[in-house]
Amino acid sequence: MHLEKLRLFNFRNFKELEAGFSEGLNVFFGDNAQGKTNLLEAIYFICNLRPMRAAKEQHLILFGEANAYLKGFFSTSSGPVDREVRLSISEKKKVLECGVEKKRFSELFWQIHAVFFSPDDLSLIKGRPAERRRFLDLVISRLKPQYGRYLAEYNRALTQRNMLLKQLKHNRTLVSALEAWDDQISELGVVILKARRAFLEKIEPWIKKYYIYFSRDERPLDVKYVNSAFSEDIPPDSFREAFSDALRKSLPEDLKSGFTRVGPHRDDLNFLLGGRDLRYFGSQGEQRTLCLSLKFAERRIFFELTGISPILLLDDALSELDVNRRRWILEEDQLWQVFVTTSDLNAIPGDVLKRASVYKIKAGTLGR
Ligand SMILES: Nc1ncnc2c1ncn2[C@@H]1O[C@H](COP(=O)(O)OP(=O)(O)O)[C@@H](O)[C@H]1O
Ligand SMILES: [Mg+2]
């Protein structure tokens, strides 16, 4: 799958744009604040139908305008697909595929997908556990839309339980109502946990492979899921009971703090290099390499499970990496569509650059 052509209207600092891209490596270069990241964001948005990270959809519309429009022409295994998105300040976005309006976006997930790396993603390694849970949850729900629904239900039940915990401080007679929420939470929690485990089992070998490939580091990399509720040494059949027990055990503390202290909403993912947690002990380069490995592994897993090859968007990924790592990252991908931004073309090895399509971005316009 790849993006052949993109049309933008009033998207961020692009008043109007029409551009065709190559199937392989595309390089956007230019000075700061010209629109390189914005263009990657446009590609991400037309593919995944959600803004990157914290951005709100309204932020995507050119300052002072009421509407924006994007159209992507894709080549997919089932033939050409064009997709339009209409954004407006006052209404929900509209998505059309081959001219037909689509209401259920999850039906579109398996056809077109993009994986984004930006330096902000380093918070995935350096940041709080919530960042790592968010990565897991986003990717899994993309692959299994029903996972997203279970997660939403779990969070609703959790909110209810937490509200009840606060009420119980003043009125202990309500304690019997807890049981129903605990039941729901443990049932849904185990579904979430099992899906995360199954996903990690698949992605972990790829994270390791990419890490070794990019770093040539001999030390073993371990990916560890940290379960806040119980030890996963027990058979999966017993998870539900173990989770119920954990909820019961943590009740006295939960009552004091007014929130539920165990469950998938408190779990974490650790990355250990030679036994040490990269979150605390990794160098900038190691953390960046790990983060890139996660993204490449995400793409690989997507390919294995769906048969489509996601587009890779690398924003400022090359700075802070030595020249070998840059080459390995760009060469891994000869068969896939990749978009890379840089303010310095010298960051890209000459022979790699030769086979790339290079675009200069200047003040929201694009030239060659
Ligand atoms: N909604 C918007 N409308 C117009 N300009 C925007 C909008 N959002 C961001 N910008 C502008 O885009 C520029 C940043 O573009 P960006 O793609 O991040 O640059 P870079 O080339 O450094 O990656 C800034 O000047 C910012 O003001
Ligand atoms: Mg940028």
Side-chain angles (χ1 to χ4, degrees), residues 55 91 176 178 222 226 295 309:
E91 284 166 56
S176 57
L178 259 181
D222 282 312
V226 187
K295 300 295 173 132
S309 45

Side-chain angles (χ1 to χ4, degrees), residues 10-14 30-41 58-64 315-316 341 361:
N10 286 352
F11 185 93
R12 294 267 194 202
N13 68 332
F14 290 91
D31 294 337
N32 289 333
Q34 302 302 309
K36 300 184 297 297
T37 301
N38 293 346
L39 192 50
L40 290 190
E41 189 179 33
Q58 278 80 4
H59 295 171
L60 306 178
I61 302 171
L62 181 76
F63 299 146
D315 195 19
D316 279 330
T341 67
I361 314 277

Side-chain angles (χ1 to χ4, degrees), residues 164 166-175:
L164 189 60
K166 289 185 186 93
Q167 289 167 354
L168 280 170
K169 274 191 185 164
H170 315 291
N171 183 356
R172 296 302 287 238
T173 61
L174 294 167
V175 79

Side-chain angles (χ1 to χ4, degrees), residues 25-71:
L25 181 63
N26 295 274
V27 176
F28 298 151
F29 92 101
D31 294 337
N32 289 333
Q34 302 302 309
K36 300 184 297 297
T37 301
N38 293 346
L39 192 50
L40 290 190
E41 189 179 33
I43 297 172
Y44 183 85
F45 189 68
I46 190 91
C47 290
N48 291 9
L49 301 172
R50 59 195 313 278
M52 277 154 46
R53 311 207 107 243
K56 295 215 166 60
E57 284 180 1
Q58 278 80 4
H59 295 171
L60 306 178
I61 302 171
L62 181 76
F63 299 146
E65 298 290 338
N67 305 289
Y69 173 81
L70 304 87
K71 183 164 188 176

